[in-house]
Amino acid sequence: RDNPVDPTIGDGDGGDRAGLSLVVPLPKALASVVDSLVAHLSGPGMVTVVKALDFPTPLGPATLTIGAVPPGEGRLLTIEGYDLTGRLILSGERANITIVTGDTTRISIDLRLTIDPSELDVPDTTAAAGVTPTPEETEGETEEPEETGAG
């Protein structure tokens, strides 16, 4: 591939750049509730990279390639998983990663639930943007909404 703007081949001159590829398998029980996974890669001497992982197949692993990563030590990789409402339900990180040009480093990240397992099948309606209660849900409530701001 000769495209100099392709981030997976670096800056086009074969200079001091490396790549990072991620494969994140999800158990079947989580694959049905995880809507998106986001990777954050940061460290000294680099701009923080935030990218969503791809789900090529519904139950397959999530994948991501981050190109043009400057080699160095002390990199931090964080993976966060969100449900359909945007609620954070999984999180994990690996610190002190060393990126070396031309080398492959295998790392593992322990993704942990950030919610109670019993909540996995219960959507978080408070996190969904634009959700307003129906008249049946507000029946019997007589309080006026509070006003905020200067007035």
Side-chain angles (χ1 to χ4, degrees), residues 23-88:
V23 177
V24 180
L26 288 175
K28 196 180 280 191
L30 288 177
S32 63
V33 293
V34 173
D35 181 56
S36 63
L37 287 170
V38 178
H40 303 257
L41 180 65
S42 61
M46 68 174 288
V47 175
T48 298
V49 177
V50 179
K51 288 183 94 173
L53 281 77
D54 296 318
F55 288 93
T57 60
L59 293 178
T63 60
L64 172 66
T65 299
I66 301 173
V69 176
E73 297 177 353
R75 304 292 187 239
L76 173 66
L77 178 64
T78 304
I79 307 284
E80 296 175 329
Y82 299 90
D83 68 7
L84 288 169
T85 65
R87 174 177 54 166
L88 178 66

Side-chain angles (χ1 to χ4, degrees), residues 78-150:
T78 304
I79 307 284
E80 296 175 329
Y82 299 90
D83 68 7
L84 288 169
T85 65
R87 174 177 54 166
L88 178 66
I89 59 172
L90 287 173
S91 183
E93 71 178 28
R94 174 66 64 177
N96 297 318
I97 299 169
T98 300
I99 304 288
V100 179
T101 302
D103 195 9
T104 300
T105 302
R106 177 174 224 139
I107 62 167
S108 61
I109 296 178
D110 189 16
L111 292 177
R112 304 260 177 164
L113 285 173
T114 60
I115 61 172
D116 189 89
S118 65
E119 296 179 54
L120 283 175
D121 292 331
V122 179
D124 181 8
T125 56
T126 61
V131 172
T132 55
T134 63
E136 294 82 23
E137 293 171 331
T138 58
E139 189 174 311
E141 293 180 14
T142 57
E143 290 183 25
E144 291 294 317
E146 291 182 24
E147 292 184 23
T148 58

